[in-house]
């Protein structure tokens, strides 16, 4: 029984630690990026979600709970306390991370009419240098697209 609980503890710790690793969406190499140009038609203030849900809170909470659980009892009871502490700490750490760091932030929705006549809408962090009627570049695509002023 003790071997099973020890194995379960090691497996849980491995799963919690591996939650930190993420596969990147880019290929890591140099490449080309299309930069479109156009004129700003409209700018509206809005909010956007942050990207802070990294799992660090769950990992740190799980490790803390595991450490506290190891101080309780001995033998099989200690192993159970370690597993319970790791689970409770992971849940609490994840909750704390979302509560403190995963809050909406101020942003702007910029609508640009590109040279082809198509309207493109981009939500990005506020850039005070942008204004209606300004000639701009649209760099990137998807969630990584940003509107940048032309010229210096």
């Amino acid at each position: 029984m003790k071997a099973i609980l020890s194995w379960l503890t090691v497996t849980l710790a491995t799963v919690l630690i591996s939650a930190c690793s993420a596969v990147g969406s880019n290929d890591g190499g140099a490449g080309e990026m299309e930069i479109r140009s156009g004129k700003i038609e409209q700018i509206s203030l809005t909010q956007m979600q942050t990207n802070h849900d990294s799992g660090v809170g769950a990992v740190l909470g799980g490790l803390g709970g595991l450490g506290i659980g190891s101080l309780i009892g001995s033998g099989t009871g200690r192993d159970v306390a370690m597993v319970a502490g790791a689970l409770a700490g992971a849940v609490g750490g994840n909750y704390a991370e979302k509560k403190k760091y995963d809050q909406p932030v101020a942003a702007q929705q910029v609508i640009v009419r590109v040279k082809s006549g198509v309207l493109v809408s981009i939500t990005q962090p506020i850039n005070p240098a942008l204004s209606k009627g300004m000639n701009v570049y649209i760099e990137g695509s998807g969630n990584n697209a940003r509107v940048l002023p032309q010229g210096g």
Side-chain angles (χ1 to χ4, degrees):
M1 180 69 171
K2 186 174 182 178
I4 292 173
L5 286 176
S6 295
W7 180 82
L8 183 60
T9 302
V10 169
T11 303
L12 178 63
T14 304
V15 168
L16 288 175
I17 290 171
S18 67
C20 288
S21 65
V23 177
S25 61
N26 56 4
D27 58 2
E32 297 177 4
M33 180 183 347
E34 177 185 0
I35 298 178
R36 297 168 284 176
S37 62
K39 186 176 277 195
I40 295 178
E41 294 278 323
Q42 178 181 347
I43 298 177
S44 306
L45 293 179
T46 186
Q47 291 184 336
M48 59 190 243
Q49 283 298 114
T50 59
N51 217 6
H52 288 289
D53 192 15
S54 62
V56 173
V59 171
L60 293 178
L63 292 174
L66 184 68
I68 291 172
S70 70
L71 301 174
I72 299 172
S74 64
T76 305
R78 180 178 179 188
D79 293 340
V80 171
M82 288 171 66
V83 171
L87 290 173
V91 170
N94 189 44
Y95 176 77
E97 179 184 16
K98 284 187 178 190
K99 190 79 169 163
K100 180 160 175 79
Y101 295 107
D102 200 19
Q103 300 297 319
V105 295
Q108 62 187 169
Q109 179 185 29
V110 183
I111 299 177
V112 178
R113 183 171 305 274
V114 294
K115 299 290 182 188
S116 66
V118 174
L119 290 174
V120 177
S121 173
I122 296 173
T123 302
Q124 66 182 24
I126 293 177
N127 183 347
L130 299 177
S131 61
K132 184 176 177 180
M134 177 181 273
N135 290 323
V136 293
Y137 293 119
I138 300 173
E139 181 180 87
S141 63
N143 289 336
N144 295 324
R146 294 291 176 259
V147 177
L148 305 170
Q150 284 185 13

